[in-house]
């Protein structure tokens, strides 16, 4: 069977060359006589895998030495709790959140269980079709951190300017834009994201945290396994890590390097997004709800304005080998997630189908 163009928001498309490499090594990883799925996480072979993966990630992102890289489990959603548990001051827990979509809203709701969590700004008034103006947002100087979701998967919006939080650490969920463009790690206290959108298979969350934010005095009820210090001290192996997922992530890191690193990846991603957005902006048959200056180049929602027509579009797309194009229920319509591994040909095939569908339904 031929491979389809998979526009899923996650788990999402992976580079074919990475999948082929993994298939070739499935039964015997580098002469060990076993699959990575089978080997001990304490073995020399896996130690080499995780150390090389971290080194490549540090190289790609320019991660300074005073930041720890943690390969954890539970996805980004578990870190909705892990972040306040690890960062809030037990004596006077305070944090400010900007809510720009469903994932930051869920993170805000979770954090409210643990302290004085303030909604600093929100774009829910217009169904998250824009990102709040960070220049107009005021933050508490005594907050333990400020939280954003840098790219909202469901609504397709993206921060193209970070908030100035002063001395207060900025925490960003980058799940949907991880490794899609260059990033200045020093502007953040914590960067984290689930890998199943842009980097690897579901089951791994990567947390990049400045060392001074890894503390002993976390909220007292924080489970030991969720304490960043526990995992940092153990090299992400306090318990058995998601070994195979980390192995695939490591292969994707090398694939991104081969594309020209994050600068090369950004150029490719911008070109792909332009193919889709240029067409959307040229027609009134489809509408792209997100404000132009806040658009994501990873997740592109669009609608016809007619639910029955949207359903027909999705069915027709599937018949053409264009999969997982249906939009999230909170937005409706369609959503194209055009992550790193989505080839430009896939976006071009989608736009060609969109044009034909428009012509036949005018």
């Amino acid at each position: 069977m031929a491979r389809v163009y998979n526009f899923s928001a996650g788990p999402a498309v992976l580079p074919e060359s990475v999948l082929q490499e993994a298939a070739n090594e499935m039964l015997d990883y580098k002469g060990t006589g076993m699959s990575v799925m089978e080997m001990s996480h304490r073995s020399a072979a896996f130690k080499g895998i995780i150390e090389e993966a971290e080194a490549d990630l540090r190289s790609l992102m320019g991660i300074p030495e005073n930041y720890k890289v943690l390969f954890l489990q539970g996805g980004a959603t578990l870190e909705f709790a892990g972040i306040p548990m690890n960062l809030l001051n037990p004596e006077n827990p305070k944090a400010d959140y900007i809510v720009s979509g469903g994932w930051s809203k869920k993170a805000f709701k979770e954090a409210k269980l643990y302290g004085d969590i303030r909604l600093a700004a929100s774009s829910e008034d217009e169904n998250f079709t824009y990102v709040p103006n960070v220049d107009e947002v005021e933050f508490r100087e005594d907050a333990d951190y400020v939280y954003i979701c840098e790219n909202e998967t469901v609504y397709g919006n993206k921060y193209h300017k970070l908030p100035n939080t002063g001395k207060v650490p900025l925490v960003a969920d980058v799940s949907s834009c991880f490794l899609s463009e260059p990033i200045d790690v020093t502007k953040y206290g914590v960067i984290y994201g689930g890998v199943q959108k842009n980097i690897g298979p579901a089951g791994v969350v990567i947390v990049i945290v400045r060392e001074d934010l890894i503390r002993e005095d976390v909220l007292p009820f924080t489970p030991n396994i969720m304490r960043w210090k526990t995992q940092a001290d153990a090299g992400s192996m306090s318990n058995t890590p998601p070994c195979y997922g980390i192995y695939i992530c490591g292969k994707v890191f090398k694939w991104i390097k081969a594309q020209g690193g994050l600068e090369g990846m950004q150029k490719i991603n911008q070109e792909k997004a332009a193919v889709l957005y240029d067409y959307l902006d040229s027609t009134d048959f489809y509408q792209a709800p997100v404000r132009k200056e806040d658009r994501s180049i990873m997740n592109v929602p669009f609608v016809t304005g007619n639910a029955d027509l949207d359903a027909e579009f999705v069915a027709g797309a599937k018949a053409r080998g264009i999969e997982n194009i249906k939009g999230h229920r909170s937005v409706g319509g369609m959503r194209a997630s055009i992550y790193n591994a989505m080839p430009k040909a896939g976006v071009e095939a989608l736009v060609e189908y969109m044009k034909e569908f428009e012509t036949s339904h005018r």
Side-chain angles (χ1 to χ4, degrees):
M1 177 181 177
R3 282 178 60 80
V4 299
Y5 289 123
N6 178 14
F7 289 91
S8 172
V13 61
L14 287 168
E16 286 192 29
S17 61
V18 167
L19 295 175
Q20 188 60 60
E21 284 180 25
N24 293 340
E25 294 174 345
M26 178 58 72
L27 297 180
D28 180 9
Y29 175 73
K30 294 188 176 180
T32 61
M34 66 185 85
S35 171
V36 175
M37 288 186 184
E38 302 169 301
M39 67 177 53
S40 167
H41 64 294
R42 304 295 182 192
S43 67
F46 186 72
K47 186 171 184 287
I49 288 171
I50 194 170
E51 288 180 351
E52 190 169 350
E54 179 177 338
D56 283 340
L57 181 61
R58 284 185 176 276
S59 174
L60 277 170
M61 296 181 68
I63 300 173
E65 291 185 3
N66 66 323
Y67 283 74
K68 290 288 189 182
V69 175
L70 307 177
F71 294 95
L72 307 177
Q73 300 180 69
T77 302
L78 188 61
E79 292 305 316
F80 291 173
I83 285 161
M85 285 180 178
N86 281 279
L87 293 182
L88 289 176
N89 181 341
E91 301 300 321
N92 186 24
K94 290 184 179 180
D96 289 346
Y97 277 60
I98 299 179
V99 172
S100 57
W103 293 115
S104 50
K105 184 177 180 179
K106 288 182 178 181
F108 172 65
K109 182 180 179 181
E110 179 70 26
K112 287 175 69 176
L113 299 173
Y114 310 113
D116 173 10
I117 310 300
R118 170 177 166 266
L119 180 63
S122 172
S123 55
E124 191 169 13
D125 60 330
E126 295 186 22
N127 199 33
F128 302 121
T129 54
Y130 69 98
V131 170
N133 185 345
V134 296
D135 292 333
E136 297 177 354
V137 182
E138 296 184 1
F139 304 106
R140 293 178 291 183
E141 293 183 0
D142 60 345
D144 296 314
Y145 64 91
V146 171
Y147 182 100
I148 64 171
C149 179
E150 197 158 325
N151 187 110
E152 285 281 0
T153 318
V154 172
Y155 294 89
N157 64 51
K158 169 77 163 66
Y159 286 79
H160 295 290
K161 179 180 182 181
L162 296 176
N164 181 2
T165 61
K167 295 181 179 180
V168 179
L170 176 64
V171 177
D173 175 354
V174 299
S175 297
S176 285
C177 56
F178 223 157
L179 302 187
S180 65
E181 61 186 4
I183 185 171
D184 183 353
V185 175
T186 64
K187 292 184 178 180
Y188 306 79
V190 180
I191 302 168
Y192 82 100
V195 306
Q196 71 277 8
K197 299 174 183 296
N198 226 12
I199 302 174
V204 184
V205 57
I206 298 174
V207 179
I208 302 164
V209 53
R210 207 171 64 215
E211 287 183 343
D212 63 291
L213 298 176
I214 300 176
R215 302 163 20 181
E216 291 272 13
D217 60 331
V218 298
L219 295 185
F221 48 79
T222 304
N224 190 49
I225 199 66
M226 289 181 64
R227 295 174 184 237
W228 291 341
K229 182 165 178 35
T230 299
Q231 294 288 6
D233 288 350
S236 300
M237 291 195 283
S238 176
N239 65 329
T240 307
C243 298
Y244 198 79
I246 294 168
Y247 157 76
I248 296 295
C249 289
K251 288 192 175 297
V252 173
F253 298 156
K254 291 187 182 301
W255 177 82
I256 293 173
K257 281 189 167 186
Q259 310 309 306
L262 298 190
E263 290 79 8
M265 210 69 257
Q266 181 184 44
K267 182 175 183 293
I268 293 168
N269 287 328
Q270 288 175 337
E271 289 175 355
K272 289 188 300 186
V275 171
L276 182 49
Y277 280 125
D278 286 351
Y279 172 62
L280 285 169
D281 290 339
S282 73
T283 177
D284 60 1
F285 185 79
Y286 305 97
Q287 296 83 49
V290 176
R291 188 169 63 182
K292 284 187 179 182
E293 57 265 38
D294 296 327
R295 286 173 171 175
S296 166
I297 62 170
M298 294 281 98
N299 311 101
V300 184
F302 58 96
V303 300
T304 66
N306 181 307
D308 291 336
L309 207 57
D310 289 346
E312 185 180 343
F313 179 96
V314 171
K318 185 177 180 64
R320 285 185 167 228
I322 296 171
E323 290 278 359
N324 297 308
I325 199 71
K326 183 178 180 180
H328 192 273
R329 61 185 176 277
S330 58
V331 178
M334 287 67 69
R335 173 183 53 183
S337 291
I338 49 177
Y339 298 128
N340 285 351
M342 171 58 67
K344 186 177 180 181
V347 182
E348 291 171 340
L350 172 61
V351 169
E352 185 62 29
Y353 169 60
M354 292 171 70
K355 290 177 178 178
E356 291 179 13
F357 188 86
E358 175 181 354
T359 299
S360 62
H361 290 78
R362 277 288 188 181

